[in-house]
Amino acid sequence: MSSKEPKEKETITSKPGAEAKSTAASSSGGMSNDKKRELKRLVLRYFQQLTQGCGRECENPDCASSPGFRKLNKKEALKRAMVLASKKIKPELCECESKPAKVEKPNTNSGKEKENGAENCSKREVAVAKDPVIEPLTFATFQKLIDEAESGVEGGEKKEPDYTKAIRMIGKIFADDTALSCSFPSGKELKATEQDSGIEMKNVTAFFTVVERVAALQEVLNAAIGRLCQQLLDPMKTKPNAPLYTLRKYLILLENPSFLDPEFHPVFRKLCEIITKLPEAQKDILVNWMSKYTAKRMEELIGRIQQYITVRWYTGRQVDDLQYGTTVLGLLYRANEPWRPHEVHHYVEEKSRGGMLFALRRMAHRDAKQQGSKSAEGDVKANMKVIISSKGDRHTPLVDPSMFNNDAVNAELSLKADYKRWYEGSKSSFCFCKNPFILDASSKRDILHIDARHQMSEHFRQAMFARLTFGPIGSSPYLILVVRRDNLIRDAIIQLQNAKLENMREDEEEENNMYFKKPLKIKFKGEEGVDEGGVKKEFFQLVVAQLFNPKYGMFTYDKESHICWFNKNSVSSDEEFELIGIVLGLAIYNGVILDLRFPMYVYKKLMGYDATMKDLKEVDPEIAKGFEKLLRFNGDVENTYCRTFSVEEEAFGVTKTVELKKDGAKTPLTNENREEYVELYSKYLLMDSIKRQFTAFKRGFMKVCGGPALKLFRPEELHRLICGSEHLDFEALEKKTQYDGGYTKDTPVIKNLWKVLSRFSLEQKKKFLMFCTGSDRAPINGLGDLQFTISKNGPDSERLPTSHTCFNHLLLPEYATEEKLERSLIVAVQNCKGFGLL
């Protein structure tokens, strides 16, 4: 397999000071507990220095007291603090240790009022908590108290603000979870349903904004929230059948901007723990409520939780800390796309494959074959549907799903160790593979390869068991195809079928396709090329070009949208459609990028996602436009459109009528049933009419890629994994390029090369990539992820540049002038087909 081996990185631990048990963790990548504590201390010191300064005239550019220092918000300051603390040579910390800003005590009129002020807030809160009737907090009431506190005048001069009443109100409300749950109603009365929390979220934001600018209020509020969270951790305080409105407090507490400050992360951890331990039904209600957020609010809350996970990852890396934050982030992930089902990604596989159980499974398989039963593998999910959003329901994500990826986790997580926890762990154990929204597409790709190696090792164990019973059976470590260019498709189909027979034992299940997960080697008959990667790239390009050619009849091609779709009238065999699926899967496992023009819905369909009108627009824009017009039509639909629930189609000179439902030809289209008509017609176009073709295609794909790891991907990630990225950032490529044979980045010919490439058009850049790598697309994470090398190929001469596409290696003569380099390069990239031995 061509994917790079994931680096061994630090794993997570279950207890403070405990070493991770996973053998896959790198000893060199680990961090001692002393170092973790020191890192955490430095992060807090830098954060305080960046937000509060040192309180004196300071020339430290990373101190808020320095003249000209640009004020940072808490999120920016925390990010900067982590950067400073992570540097090998630590930047200067001010000599005067940063301390939290002194809390300004509110003015009071008497000693009695002072005694009942902020310092003795806890006594008051205990008393109030027993009071069953507390007036809920509204922003209007709170703002009135703030205005009164800041409007005092004495002797013609403005007095110092007296926030005593506001402090008392905060103490009362945030000491009583019932009062807090009833606060900030969106109307005069509290109305909470399973779909709507009834909270006026903009008033919650306004409340925290006001509190944040007054140190005394902020201190009291955070202390009260800390005590409340500690109380709620008591199992006696949480009831599975608690009234619906009691969940409202969690949405209010999550809005606290102080949770960006690492000093308050312990409290935030408690809040996340409380939410994590809620019954699933209550968490589902929170998801419904969060799905009504605005995109801005969703982004801010995601950022808050991501900051917490990042800091805990760098400073503690304890399982519970990460699990609680990740779980709450998972609720937001579900709320971002509430219309589709979200499942916990458990590793589902028969672990006991040897011995009697395995033999019994084989016997059952043989019995099923004799009875003529068919495997359901590869069949299109029966309950897939088309979602019609005519009533204004949201069926697009609020924010880009990539916002849920955590860069720190993806950079340092030991994927092998996490995969092992996923595979071996119980359903209650924590690992990031169960929460794949945290992982980016590159990490998921590596897990897919780890899973393939795991499956192959399991298969080898089965073979060893079978050897004891059936005798030795030879098997090649590679999947080798020898094909002719003029009979490419038929040769590929026959040899893949032969490979199946060669790798199967008589008693083995037909769906055991481990041989597809072997590294692929291609040999073109009559050619000298040795496949080290480049030959198989060309093989994939030729197969795709031939099968997707409209003249071949398997797919239709829309010239305007440049989209290929399954030809419902195709006479091509199931084996040919299955071959396309196999080719896609083999490309994934062999690290080859394909130039496919499928709509995104093909990848959604492979992953079992429902369709939306957006998908239909991509497949057939004209029909989608007509459906939208029908759904908006205000007149008499039946007499205007004069249609029934049937479709007339012509194929090979014959017209046939397809009923969209029982007695559809007799059912007129009306105002009342037009949504049903659009849904059934769309389902016919996207699913029913191409069921045979897509079923074979999916069966081929699943033969190669089927398994738990595939479920980690989102459709758009699967598309990028197969087709790469169309965004070509040559600046990123220049930064990551390595040089050999005497060249450096400062060699004149290298400087000239990047100047020439910067002037190339997009089409020329694609040809250059094709010439050097065998693909005109960037890898899944962009050109910065491409391992690209330029070597010296002799002095100035008339020789053209050459390349080893197997290794993404450009061989460049040291041309004397920029003009000669450009001329030679253009000639080379326009003539880059075929392989030979150099």
Side-chain angles (χ1 to χ4, degrees):
M1 295 169 204
S2 60
S3 69
K4 60 179 173 52
E5 184 78 15
K7 294 181 179 179
E8 299 296 340
K9 300 163 187 174
E10 186 177 355
T11 187
I12 55 179
T13 56
S14 56
K15 294 181 181 180
E19 293 297 329
K21 295 182 180 179
S22 172
T23 58
S26 169
S27 59
S28 61
M31 183 186 293
S32 68
N33 290 319
D34 288 341
K35 288 184 178 180
K36 290 177 184 178
R37 284 191 289 270
E38 175 62 14
L39 180 61
K40 184 176 181 179
R41 186 189 70 81
L42 286 173
V43 169
L44 290 171
R45 283 284 309 277
Y46 281 120
F47 180 80
Q48 291 169 358
Q49 182 174 288
L50 289 164
T51 54
Q52 301 167 15
C54 62
R56 58 186 178 82
E57 291 187 9
C58 181
E59 297 182 357
N60 187 344
D62 290 310
C63 178
S65 298
S66 174
F69 179 83
R70 183 180 70 85
K71 186 176 180 180
L72 304 175
N73 60 39
K74 288 185 177 179
K75 187 174 181 179
E76 293 171 334
L78 181 55
K79 187 175 181 180
R80 178 64 179 162
M82 287 190 290
V83 171
L84 295 175
S86 300
K87 289 186 176 182
K88 290 185 178 180
I89 301 177
K90 310 297 182 190
E92 178 185 358
L93 271 168
C94 294
E95 293 180 4
C96 180
E97 183 174 347
S98 300
K99 296 180 180 179
K102 185 178 179 180
V103 177
E104 181 181 353
K105 299 294 182 181
N107 289 339
T108 54
N109 297 324
S110 67
K112 186 176 181 180
E113 287 182 358
K114 183 173 183 179
E115 183 180 351
N116 292 323
E119 294 178 349
N120 292 294
C121 191
S122 59
K123 294 180 181 179
R124 244 187 15 261
E125 288 165 359
V126 172
V128 173
K130 296 178 181 178
D131 187 353
V133 180
I134 298 178
E135 189 70 22
L137 178 63
T138 65
F139 179 67
T141 303
F142 183 74
Q143 185 62 56
K144 184 178 179 181
L145 294 179
I146 296 299
D147 291 342
E148 289 177 0
E150 296 176 345
S151 62
V153 177
E154 185 176 348
E157 295 184 2
K158 191 172 181 179
K159 294 193 304 181
E160 286 292 321
D162 181 3
Y163 296 110
T164 303
K165 292 182 180 179
I167 287 174
R168 288 174 177 171
M169 174 169 281
I170 291 173
K172 284 182 180 181
I173 298 299
F174 284 85
D176 188 286
D177 65 304
T178 301
L180 179 59
S181 296
C182 296
S183 296
F184 304 106
S186 56
K188 292 183 179 180
E189 296 181 1
L190 172 63
K191 293 181 180 180
T193 67
E194 290 189 359
Q195 300 301 321
D196 187 2
S197 66
I199 300 175
E200 190 64 68
M201 294 304 297
K202 65 180 181 181
N203 286 347
V204 177
T205 301
F207 166 78
F208 280 113
T209 301
V210 171
V211 170
E212 194 174 21
R213 68 179 174 83
V214 181
L217 297 179
Q218 190 173 17
E219 184 182 30
V220 171
L221 174 65
N222 288 327
I225 291 176
R227 288 190 290 271
L228 177 63
C229 288
Q230 187 62 46
Q231 293 171 14
L232 293 174
L233 278 174
D234 184 352
M236 300 299 293
K237 296 284 185 180
T238 56
K239 300 178 181 179
N241 56 349
L244 195 63
Y245 74 88
T246 60
L247 298 176
R248 299 168 86 251
K249 59 179 171 286
Y250 301 119
L251 266 61
I252 296 171
L253 292 172
L254 284 171
E255 292 297 308
N256 185 5
S258 293
F259 289 144
L260 277 173
D261 189 335
E263 185 179 347
F264 297 107
H265 280 179
V267 177
F268 188 66
R269 178 200 182 279
K270 292 177 183 178
L271 177 59
C272 291
E273 181 181 355
I274 295 164
I275 296 174
T276 296
K277 292 179 177 179
L278 289 174
E280 290 302 318
Q282 294 185 2
K283 284 191 274 193
D284 290 343
I285 292 170
L286 289 180
V287 168
N288 291 340
W289 291 354
M290 290 171 173
S291 69
K292 306 300 189 298
Y293 281 175
T294 63
K296 182 181 178 182
R297 187 175 304 282
M298 179 73 79
E299 287 179 4
E300 289 176 350
L301 188 48
I302 291 171
R304 203 169 294 146
I305 300 173
Q306 290 283 33
Q307 286 278 64
Y308 166 79
I309 293 173
T310 299
V311 172
R312 304 311 290 179
W313 176 260
Y314 281 129
T315 61
R317 210 165 295 198
Q318 302 302 318
V319 171
D320 289 346
D321 290 358
L322 297 169
Q323 179 179 2
Y324 298 143
T326 302
T327 299
V328 177
L329 187 64
L331 299 183
L332 287 173
Y333 180 74
R334 291 167 54 191
N336 194 44
E337 298 173 292
W339 65 90
R340 72 175 187 85
H342 296 268
E343 301 174 353
V344 178
H345 292 75
H346 296 299
Y347 194 101
V348 181
E349 186 187 64
E350 290 266 12
K351 294 184 181 179
S352 301
R353 297 195 177 194
M356 184 60 69
L357 176 59
F358 192 50
L360 289 172
R361 289 180 62 206
R362 290 177 176 174
M363 290 171 61
H365 177 76
R366 284 201 300 269
D367 292 343
K369 281 183 63 177
Q370 292 170 2
Q371 295 170 11
S373 64
K374 295 182 179 180
S375 171
E377 184 180 0
D379 288 348
V380 180
K381 198 172 83 173
N383 61 348
M384 285 179 66
K385 61 181 183 294
V386 180
I387 301 172
I388 306 300
S389 306
S390 61
K391 297 179 182 179
D393 297 331
R394 177 171 65 83
H395 290 111
T396 54
L398 271 177
V399 300
D400 189 332
S402 65
M403 287 192 68
F404 293 90
N405 301 156
N406 187 283
D407 293 340
V409 172
N410 281 286
E412 302 225 351
L413 176 66
S414 171
L415 296 175
K416 281 187 176 181
D418 199 71
Y419 173 83
K420 189 175 182 181
R421 286 191 294 272
W422 184 38
Y423 171 67
E424 295 180 347
S426 64
K427 290 189 176 182
S428 60
S429 61
F430 174 76
C431 64
F432 288 109
C433 285
K434 289 182 184 177
N435 304 276
F437 52 85
I438 285 277
L439 304 175
D440 60 25
S442 179
S443 294
K444 293 175 185 178
R445 173 199 60 194
D446 292 339
I447 291 171
L448 187 71
H449 288 282
I450 294 170
D451 186 51
R453 288 192 289 274
H454 163 72
Q455 291 183 46
M456 290 181 71
S457 66
E458 287 288 294
H459 183 62
F460 176 76
R461 191 162 62 86
Q462 298 169 21
M464 293 300 293
F465 172 79
R467 184 185 296 260
L468 300 175
T469 307
F470 306 105
I473 299 173
S475 180
S476 170
Y478 298 100
L479 175 60
I480 302 174
L481 302 182
V482 182
V483 295
R484 295 166 291 177
R485 287 182 182 270
D486 57 356
N487 198 32
L488 189 66
I489 302 302
R490 183 51 49 190
D491 283 355
I493 291 175
I494 291 173
Q495 295 211 32
L496 287 171
Q497 290 174 340
N498 289 341
K500 178 178 181 178
L501 295 174
E502 291 170 5
N503 285 271
M504 275 179 55
R505 295 181 295 274
E506 182 181 350
D507 69 317
E508 190 170 35
E509 303 101 309
E510 288 185 5
E511 64 266 25
N512 196 329
N513 303 296
M514 289 298 117
Y515 53 93
F516 282 131
K517 293 178 170 60
K518 297 177 180 180
L520 179 65
K521 295 283 187 181
I522 298 294
K523 171 69 176 176
F524 285 110
K525 280 189 177 180
E527 298 186 19
E528 296 178 320
V530 176
D531 190 5
E532 293 295 337
V535 180
K536 71 181 168 212
K537 287 181 182 179
E538 189 185 22
F539 165 77
F540 281 113
Q541 291 158 10
L542 293 174
V543 169
V544 168
Q546 188 166 331
L547 291 178
F548 280 84
N549 190 327
K551 294 179 181 178
Y552 205 74
M554 293 179 67
F555 299 92
T556 59
Y557 179 73
D558 189 304
K559 293 182 179 179
E560 292 186 7
S561 63
H562 305 292
I563 289 295
C564 286
W565 184 244
F566 295 87
N567 183 355
K568 59 178 177 285
N569 298 317
S570 174
V571 295
S572 297
S573 66
D574 288 358
E575 287 79 8
E576 289 171 306
F577 282 103
E578 188 173 312
L579 176 62
I580 281 288
I582 291 173
V583 165
L584 263 65
L586 290 176
I588 289 175
Y589 276 112
N590 289 274
V592 177
I593 296 172
L594 301 180
D595 183 16
L596 297 182
R597 301 295 174 180
F598 276 145
M600 185 59 67
Y601 179 59
V602 168
Y603 306 100
K604 292 177 68 174
K605 198 171 170 66
L606 280 172
M607 301 301 292
Y609 282 46
D610 292 323
T612 64
M613 285 297 289
K614 182 180 179 182
D615 298 313
L616 184 61
K617 284 180 184 178
E618 199 175 6
V619 174
D620 197 326
E622 288 301 318
I623 286 185
K625 189 183 297 183
F627 284 164
E628 288 180 339
K629 186 176 179 181
L630 168 63
L631 293 172
R632 292 195 305 265
F633 186 69
N634 293 322
D636 185 346
V637 170
E638 182 174 0
N639 292 319
T640 303
Y641 282 84
C642 301
R643 296 192 176 221
T644 62
F645 276 64
S646 61
V647 181
E648 287 192 354
E649 292 184 340
E650 184 177 341
F652 308 110
V654 178
T655 301
K656 64 176 182 178
T657 300
V658 178
E659 292 189 323
L660 300 177
K661 67 177 185 176
K662 187 177 180 181
D663 297 327
K666 300 177 183 178
T667 307
L669 171 64
T670 65
N671 292 67
E672 291 73 23
N673 64 19
R674 55 182 165 180
E675 283 190 21
E676 181 188 11
Y677 174 82
V678 170
E679 181 177 347
L680 292 176
Y681 202 146
S682 300
K683 184 174 181 290
Y684 171 74
L685 291 173
L686 296 176
M687 301 173 195
D688 300 338
S689 65
I690 60 163
K691 184 174 181 179
R692 177 185 71 85
Q693 295 88 333
F694 187 83
T695 298
F697 165 75
K698 183 176 181 180
R699 183 168 58 246
F701 182 78
M702 291 301 176
K703 279 184 176 180
V704 187
C705 292
L710 181 66
K711 297 178 182 179
L712 303 181
F713 287 86
R714 293 180 55 84
E716 60 269 23
E717 292 172 333
L718 186 60
H719 169 257
R720 292 207 331 266
L721 182 64
I722 296 171
C723 301
S725 171
E726 294 189 23
H727 176 63
L728 303 181
D729 184 355
F730 269 66
E731 290 183 3
L733 179 63
E734 182 179 359
K735 291 177 182 177
K736 288 297 184 76
T737 296
Q738 296 183 353
Y739 303 97
D740 195 13
Y743 281 160
T744 69
K745 65 178 182 179
D746 298 318
T747 305
V749 68
I750 296 299
K751 289 185 175 181
N752 289 337
L753 173 66
W754 293 114
K755 286 180 184 177
V756 170
L757 290 174
S758 68
R759 296 196 299 266
F760 269 17
S761 65
L762 178 61
E763 195 60 34
Q764 287 176 312
K765 288 179 179 178
K766 286 184 175 182
K767 287 183 178 180
F768 173 77
L769 281 178
M770 177 65 76
F771 172 72
C772 296
T773 70
S775 172
D776 63 358
R777 305 281 185 99
I780 192 169
N781 282 346
L783 287 179
D785 200 35
L786 183 68
Q787 300 295 320
F788 184 53
T789 304
I790 302 176
S791 292
K792 185 175 180 178
N793 194 23
D796 183 25
S797 67
E798 297 303 316
R799 294 182 63 185
L800 295 176
T802 55
S803 66
H804 295 306
T805 56
C806 314
F807 309 109
N808 304 326
H809 196 160
L810 175 64
L811 303 173
L812 186 69
E814 194 170 11
Y815 296 113
T817 66
E818 184 178 330
E819 292 74 19
K820 186 175 183 180
L821 166 63
E822 183 172 10
R823 183 173 62 253
S824 301
L825 189 60
I826 290 174
V827 172
V829 300
Q830 290 177 343
N831 300 273
C832 61
K833 290 187 178 181
F835 287 86
L837 289 174
L838 296 178

